[in-house]
Amino acid sequence: MAGRGKSRDRIEPSFSGRDDRDDDDDFSLDADDRVVRGRSTRRAAPKPSRARQPERRKRDRRDREGGGLFSFIRRIVYWFVVFGIWAGIGVAGLVVYYGSRMPSASTWAIPERPPNVKITAVDGSVIANRGTTGGEALALEDMSPYIPEAIVAIEDRRFYSHFGVDPLGLARAFVTNLTTGHMVQGGSTLTQQLAKNLFLSPDRTLERKVQEVLLALWLEQKYTKDQILAMYLNRVFFGSNAYGVEAASRRYFNKSARDVNLGEAALLAGLVKAPSRLSPARDPDAANARAQVVLQTMRDQGYITDDEVKTAMSQTPAKAKRYWSGAGHYVADMVMDQLPALIGEVKEDIVVDTTIDKTLEKRAEQSLNDVLGKDGAKVDASQAALVSLDGTGAIRALVGGRDYADSQFNRAVTAKRQPGSSFKPFVYAAALEKGLTPFSVFNDAPIRIGDWTPENYEKKYNGEVSLATALAKSLNTVAAQLVMYDGPDQVIKLAHRLGIESELQPNASIALGTSEVSLMELTGAYAAFMNGGYKATPHVIRRVTTADGSRVLYENTYDNPPRVLSEAIAANMNTMMMGVINQGTGKSAKLAGWQAAGKTGTTQNSRDALFVGFTSNLTTGVWFGNDDGKPMKKVTGGGLPAKAWQEFMVAAHKGLSPAPLFGNGQFMADPTANPGVGDQPMASVEPGAAAPLDEPTTIGSILSGVFGAGADVRERNPRANDRLRRQPMAPIDGGPVPPADIAQDGDNGYGEALPPGDIGEPEPAVTNRSRRTTLLDLIMGR
């Protein structure tokens, strides 16, 4: 029953002709195939001829073999596409994931570059830059054109054609690194490097790399290529604490990036790869070798020609110092120390205009190094410092040490040392204020003040001398008597009034400069003598403005100084100190054609040697010594310091017309002097003449040679008896007992320890010195 629905017709195969096709296993039907139990028949397809069967079999075999190779290739392509799709999905997932960990792109902004402090000289030239970056930001058009070309050539040759990420560069770096087996090339573009510098940490992680790419794409969309390149060049690290091309150029070449030549630009571009290792301050050979690679790359890319490469190779800079060099950096450090008190925290780029004259600054540094180089080693002097300022206190030159690259300690400003006899002018000025005159007579002889017995440098004594002579010869015994006559408190008050800010000890030894002061404040106090009696506050900052000059943040107010000395005392002190240079201990400081005044100073065992002096143009102080306080070999203020002072002042006054000092070398009566106190007759001095060292011969002086010095003093001034009782003058016979108001119960009256007596200056060699005329000389006709 079940088979009824099916066709009952059946085709039965026929196997006729098998003998003729033994070589063919095909199963086929021929024309005689019949339908069993059916009425109808079907015509079979014609058979292929026997001649074509081998050809068909060969073609089928080739098709089977070819289909296998193509199938393999198709499978590789297929799975590659599949893998690529999944990799893309994975990368997209990572991008989405790490991107979601970043702030919204709408809040992205270029972080502010750390503020720069540009410090300039009086002529507007740059002394130094200070701040985190170490240099100001420059626009691309303000830089030397070689710098951006060199950077693009060696760091990112397709910078102007890619979209922030360079696939070709990545592939090239991958192949190169795979071939060499270690990291040789990086695939980051300049835009990616900028993104990393601006926003990201230097950690080498997948997250940071993804974020770097995203930020690079954002930068490319927001800024032009030139803007991106300018930001990169102003922020990239060049080693030695220099960020940006301006800081690096000044650090390594001591010039602005505006003036960099091709060879220097190639060296800078080569530093980016490894700033610390390739720094010319550390390894100049490695830096120069890398610069040659940069030059070849620039030539290959068409930036420069073969001739320019040859020229650049001859421009290779000399070895850079391991630290910032030049005396101007002492000034820059001083400026940075003072800025917070003047304008507060620096929050934007500013320009600080100083009072420094760069020409004088270089000459000051040169003068110190000339003297140290010639004689320093022979006398064990290793360091020196110099300060030079005008009558207003404006610092024109400042050198804080022999070499800033070796030591950044500022010996002119920070160091405080004993000034020695260079402090004596304040003692003498206080005496003049109390009523004495330059010709008041004191006895240069051994004295004792409490437990202290001050001695002259050469342990020789001159007997009666005027104050002018005592200052010129730097006699310690007279200075010690004067400070007791004035009172140490009065000397301290005058010194502070003139500009000494350091604490001074009120003891007798202050006469010999045993209280420590800085060279800058000592020099500033001397300027009050030079300018006629006005306080000259040392200052280096004239004005502070914003970088664009739109706002003035500070401007100094030293244009109306107070008077601190009377005109007469200033003039008389100037004339007395002229004697120091003309006939006294400072002869090495003479200036041809110029009136100059000053004072030498030497501390115990020649640990410190100073000379502070002035013309009508500049007041300059010089110090020589050692940082560890090691004694020098008999160096005095009239030696190395006076020589360096003279060399600097000659250079500083070159081309200027000589002008006289205040007072023109003449003594003046002081109408403000206390009447009846130390009343001494004023010597008659011809106009323009300096104070004489020896008193004129009179009948009184002749008789004094026979009857004693006291007769001479009393004859010249009948009122001197009262003064002699008041003054701490040594006994005529040189005995050790001082007046009662100087030594009491073995104490100096001030409870202070007193130094040995070997402080001061050697007396100048005197040739053809006139001998005192005696009564016997007159009788004998001599």
Side-chain angles (χ1 to χ4, degrees):
M1 295 292 294
R4 292 180 180 177
K6 297 182 181 179
S7 173
R8 299 190 320 178
D9 296 334
R10 181 167 59 88
I11 299 176
E12 295 181 357
S14 172
F15 298 96
S16 62
R18 184 175 177 87
D19 295 337
D20 298 332
R21 296 178 300 205
D22 291 337
D23 59 341
D24 193 349
D25 294 334
D26 289 346
F27 181 79
S28 61
L29 300 176
D30 57 20
D32 297 332
D33 293 339
R34 56 189 176 87
V35 179
V36 180
R37 295 183 182 179
R39 299 291 182 184
S40 62
T41 61
R42 186 182 59 174
R43 187 174 180 177
K47 297 179 182 179
S49 65
R50 292 179 181 270
R52 299 182 60 184
Q53 288 178 359
E55 181 181 350
R56 177 182 174 184
R57 287 194 298 269
K58 292 179 182 180
R59 184 172 62 252
D60 292 344
R61 189 179 298 112
R62 286 196 303 268
D63 290 344
R64 285 194 301 269
E65 293 175 355
L69 178 62
F70 291 148
S71 176
F72 177 75
I73 295 175
R74 284 196 300 269
R75 290 189 187 95
I76 292 297
V77 172
Y78 170 78
W79 286 112
F80 182 81
V81 172
V82 171
F83 176 79
I85 293 173
W86 282 108
I89 294 173
V91 170
L94 287 175
V95 170
V96 171
Y97 172 72
Y98 289 130
S100 66
R101 295 164 59 91
M102 300 174 64
S104 173
S106 61
T107 63
W108 294 355
I110 299 296
E112 291 292 333
R113 189 173 185 267
N116 180 71
V117 180
K118 180 180 178 181
I119 302 169
T120 64
V122 289
D123 61 355
S125 60
V126 177
I127 295 175
N129 286 280
R130 286 291 187 268
T132 303
T133 58
E136 62 181 311
L138 296 181
L140 201 62
E141 57 269 18
D142 293 334
M143 302 176 192
S144 166
Y146 296 120
I147 294 177
E149 291 176 354
I151 287 287
V152 170
I154 196 65
E155 288 294 316
D156 190 357
R157 66 182 66 181
R158 278 179 289 276
F159 172 73
Y160 283 99
S161 61
H162 63 63
F163 52 87
V165 178
D166 185 8
L168 293 177
L170 285 171
R172 173 175 48 82
F174 176 77
V175 172
T176 302
N177 296 334
L178 186 64
T179 303
T180 59
H182 58 278
M183 195 69 173
V184 176
Q185 293 183 1
S188 295
T189 63
L190 290 179
T191 313
Q192 288 176 263
Q193 294 180 44
L194 176 62
K196 178 182 66 176
N197 294 337
L198 290 177
F199 303 103
L200 304 172
S201 69
D203 299 336
R204 294 187 175 185
T205 63
L206 179 60
E207 178 179 5
R208 196 221 71 187
K209 197 66 178 179
V210 170
Q211 293 174 347
E212 177 185 301
V213 170
L214 293 175
L215 289 167
L217 296 176
W218 173 77
L219 287 171
E220 290 280 347
Q221 293 298 316
K222 191 172 181 64
Y223 299 97
T224 66
K225 289 288 187 178
D226 284 349
Q227 288 174 324
I228 292 173
L229 185 56
M231 284 190 286
Y232 176 85
L233 290 172
N234 282 308
R235 296 174 188 251
V236 67
F237 182 55
F238 286 97
S240 298
N241 202 35
Y243 291 83
V245 290
E246 178 69 5
S249 179
R250 292 194 178 277
R251 168 65 182 86
Y252 298 123
F253 316 131
N254 198 27
K255 64 168 68 173
S256 172
R258 299 174 177 87
D259 306 319
V260 164
N261 60 40
L262 176 57
E264 293 164 342
L267 190 146
L268 289 179
L271 294 179
V272 176
K273 179 181 180 181
S276 299
R277 179 171 59 84
L278 296 175
S279 169
R282 176 181 179 180
D283 192 342
D285 293 335
N288 292 332
R290 177 64 176 170
Q292 303 303 317
V293 174
V294 175
L295 290 172
Q296 296 298 331
T297 304
M298 293 178 70
R299 183 193 62 182
D300 294 343
Q301 296 181 30
Y303 286 109
I304 56 177
T305 64
D306 289 337
D307 291 339
E308 288 176 309
V309 171
K310 294 179 182 178
T311 302
M313 288 182 178
S314 65
Q315 296 172 341
T316 302
K319 179 181 179 181
K321 293 188 177 182
R322 296 184 64 85
Y323 204 84
W324 299 94
S325 60
H329 291 287
Y330 288 112
V331 175
D333 291 346
M334 180 180 174
V335 167
M336 295 304 295
D337 289 340
Q338 295 179 2
L339 269 182
L342 300 179
I343 65 171
E345 183 183 359
V346 179
K347 297 181 179 180
E348 59 182 322
D349 286 2
I350 60 174
V351 177
V352 180
D353 297 324
T354 72
T355 59
I356 295 295
D357 184 320
K358 286 189 73 173
T359 300
L360 295 183
E361 182 82 350
K362 292 178 180 179
R363 289 174 176 174
E365 185 176 22
Q366 185 63 45
S367 66
L368 296 184
N369 281 288
D370 285 347
V371 175
L372 280 172
K374 181 179 180 181
D375 300 318
K378 293 186 292 186
V379 296
D380 291 339
S382 62
Q383 279 293 348
L386 182 150
V387 179
S388 185
L389 41 82
D390 64 18
T392 68
I395 298 174
R396 297 303 184 190
L398 184 146
V399 182
R402 186 173 190 173
D403 188 348
Y404 185 86
D406 293 335
S407 172
Q408 294 79 55
F409 179 66
N410 195 331
R411 297 155 188 83
V413 177
T414 306
K416 290 190 176 184
R417 299 177 180 272
Q418 293 181 349
S421 294
S422 61
F423 191 83
K424 288 177 181 177
F426 308 119
V427 177
Y428 280 76
L432 297 187
E433 282 193 337
K434 202 166 183 180
L436 299 182
T437 71
F439 294 113
S440 295
V441 178
F442 279 72
N443 191 22
D444 175 29
I447 63 170
R448 179 170 61 85
I449 303 176
D451 294 330
W452 179 40
T453 304
E455 298 176 328
N456 294 330
Y457 184 84
E458 294 181 340
K459 297 180 175 59
K460 296 180 181 179
Y461 303 94
N462 298 269
E464 290 182 33
V465 291
S466 67
L467 293 190
T469 300
L471 182 61
K473 293 184 176 183
S474 195
L475 302 179
N476 290 340
T477 61
V478 175
Q481 294 175 58
L482 278 179
V483 80
M484 300 309 298
Y485 174 73
D486 302 334
D489 290 334
Q490 294 303 314
V491 175
I492 291 173
K493 287 180 181 178
L494 182 138
H496 284 163
R497 195 168 75 231
L498 268 60
I500 299 293
E501 296 180 349
S502 297
E503 181 181 358
L504 303 174
Q505 299 300 320
N507 53 36
S509 66
I510 195 175
L512 305 188
T514 55
S515 290
E516 295 180 341
V517 299
S518 72
L519 180 63
M520 185 177 69
E521 60 184 326
L522 181 66
T523 307
Y526 267 65
F529 299 120
M530 180 260 270
N531 65 25
Y534 292 95
K535 186 174 183 179
T537 303
H539 59 279
V540 71
I541 299 177
R542 292 191 301 117
R543 183 174 56 183
V544 181
T545 63
T546 54
D548 57 6
S550 60
R551 287 182 293 126
V552 176
L553 305 179
Y554 166 81
E555 196 157 10
N556 74 44
T557 55
Y558 296 109
D559 54 350
N560 190 25
R563 176 171 285 281
V564 291
L565 286 176
S566 69
E567 292 184 359
I569 291 178
N572 290 339
M573 287 299 303
N574 287 353
T575 304
M576 292 170 70
M577 284 190 281
M578 285 176 62
V580 174
I581 292 179
N582 293 334
Q583 298 98 9
T585 58
K587 289 182 178 180
S588 297
K590 283 186 179 180
L591 296 177
W594 286 83
Q595 287 186 354
K599 185 67 186 77
T600 55
T602 309
T603 62
Q604 185 178 358
N605 296 327
S606 293
R607 285 186 170 87
D608 304 279
L610 303 94
F611 185 84
V612 186
F614 50 88
T615 64
S616 58
N617 183 46
L618 291 172
T619 300
T620 301
V622 178
W623 166 86
F624 275 73
N626 296 297
D627 288 336
D628 58 2
K630 178 183 177 182
M632 296 176 287
K633 294 179 180 178
K634 295 184 179 181
V635 176
T636 66
L640 302 189
K643 292 178 181 178
W645 185 93
Q646 194 265 356
E647 180 179 333
F648 166 73
M649 294 293 270
V650 167
H653 289 75
K654 186 176 181 180
L656 301 178
S657 299
L661 284 171
F662 181 81
N664 197 22
Q666 302 182 38
F667 291 113
M668 297 173 60
D670 186 3
T672 64
N674 297 331
V677 179
D679 189 13
Q680 290 285 343
M682 293 296 294
S684 173
V685 183
E686 296 182 3
L693 287 181
D694 294 302
E695 299 296 323
T697 300
T698 65
I699 189 63
S701 63
I702 295 173
L703 292 176
S704 70
V706 179
F707 301 105
D712 178 30
V713 175
R714 287 159 177 77
E715 178 177 334
R716 278 182 284 144
N717 185 6
R719 297 181 60 185
N721 290 329
D722 294 335
R723 177 176 60 79
L724 289 173
R725 283 195 292 271
R726 291 194 304 271
Q727 286 180 287
M729 185 177 293
I732 300 302
D733 61 1
V737 182
D741 60 343
I742 296 180
Q744 295 181 358
D745 300 329
D747 184 67
N748 66 359
Y750 294 91
E752 299 291 342
L754 297 173
D758 62 341
I759 300 176
E761 301 294 324
E763 289 188 35
V766 179
T767 57
N768 299 325
R769 182 174 180 176
S770 60
R771 184 174 58 86
R772 183 184 293 276
T773 304
T774 66
L775 184 59
L776 180 61
D777 293 328
L778 291 179
I779 294 173
M780 297 299 295
R782 293 195 294 265

